[in-house]
Amino acid sequence: MAAPGRDSGRDAIAAIAVPRGAARRGVVRVSGAGAFEAVAARSGDAVFAARRAGRPTAVRARWVLALSDAPQALARLAAALGPAAEIDVDLWAFPAPRSYTGDDLVEVHAPGDPQTLDLILRGLLAAGARPAAAGEFTRRAAESGRLDLTRAEAVAALIRARDDAERRRALALLEGGLARETQAFVDRLVALLAPLE
C-alpha cells in the first residue's frame, strides 16, 4: 500500500485527541513517518490523495474496526458486531510540513464513543504507530518550529487547567500574550539603548 510521499524521520505516534467520555464526535491523531500508511491499513488508499495534493485535505472513508484487537473489556461490543465491523469516518490529512507537528499527520474523526475510539487507536498501533507520550505532539510542534516555546507551554497549561480562570490564562498565553509583552519590552529596551550606542 505504499504511496509517494515524504517521511519525517520521526516514528509514528498515535493518541486519542479528545477528553475521555462519550461525545458525538471523537478524534484519534497519528503523526510521524508512516502515519499515512498506518491509516491506510484500516481505511484504504483514499488518505494518500491528500499527500499527493501536498496540502491539508479531508476525505471520507470506511474504517475497519478489527475487533480481534479488542481487549476483554470490549468483548460484548465485539460479540455484537462480529469479527470485523466498518464505520464511516472523516480523515483529515496534513502532509508534512503543513501540520501541527511539522510531520505527516492524520486525524481520524469518528463517532465519539470511547470504545470505538479505543479500537481505532488499537488499529493504528497494530499498523506500526506507538502510543504518544503526554505532550509529545506539542513537543514535536515546538521542535519543528511550528510552535514557539511559550505557546507550547500554554498548550500544556490548557491541558492541565482545572477551572475557567486557569483556562483563560492558558488561552491568553496560547494567543501570544506573553510573546507580545516580551516583544514590547525588547522594543523599549532597544529604544533606550539606541542613544547610548
Side-chain angles (χ1 to χ4, degrees):
M1 228 179 269
R6 53 192 98 44
D7 279 342
S8 64
R10 295 192 278 194
D11 63 332
I13 56 172
I16 296 171
V18 293
R20 296 296 291 174
R24 184 167 181 200
R25 298 296 285 173
V27 178
V28 180
R29 181 179 294 150
V30 58
S31 179
F36 282 82
E37 290 77 8
V39 169
R42 295 299 171 111
S43 66
D45 291 340
V47 72
F48 290 123
R51 182 188 275 167
R52 285 189 296 272
R55 58 182 164 66
T57 306
V59 293
R60 191 90 164 137
R62 299 281 294 161
W63 188 274
V64 177
L65 296 170
L67 298 174
S68 58
D69 294 341
Q72 194 62 25
L74 302 181
R76 219 176 314 159
L77 176 64
L81 295 174
E86 293 185 359
I87 59 169
D88 289 322
V89 297
D90 292 316
L91 303 175
W92 285 87
F94 303 86
R98 295 180 174 194
S99 73
Y100 177 68
T101 61
D103 301 330
D104 283 344
L105 184 144
V106 181
E107 290 184 348
V108 181
H109 292 235
D113 170 63
Q115 293 181 338
T116 301
L117 298 179
D118 284 339
L119 286 171
I120 290 171
L121 178 59
R122 287 176 176 278
L124 292 168
L125 300 179
R130 70 169 171 79
E136 191 168 5
F137 288 102
T138 301
R139 180 177 54 80
R140 287 185 177 195
E143 289 173 351
S144 65
R146 302 288 292 169
L147 198 64
D148 65 35
L149 189 55
T150 59
R151 285 190 174 95
E153 288 293 330
V155 170
L158 186 59
I159 291 168
R160 290 189 310 264
R162 292 172 299 200
D163 58 36
D164 286 339
E166 288 181 4
R167 273 189 284 287
R168 280 192 300 276
R169 284 192 297 274
L171 285 171
L173 277 176
L174 191 57
E175 292 167 356
L178 180 60
R180 281 191 301 275
E181 288 177 30
T182 303
Q183 188 58 50
F185 177 76
V186 168
D187 291 344
R188 282 193 308 271
L189 188 59
V190 168
L192 290 172
L193 289 174
L196 294 175
E197 292 291 324

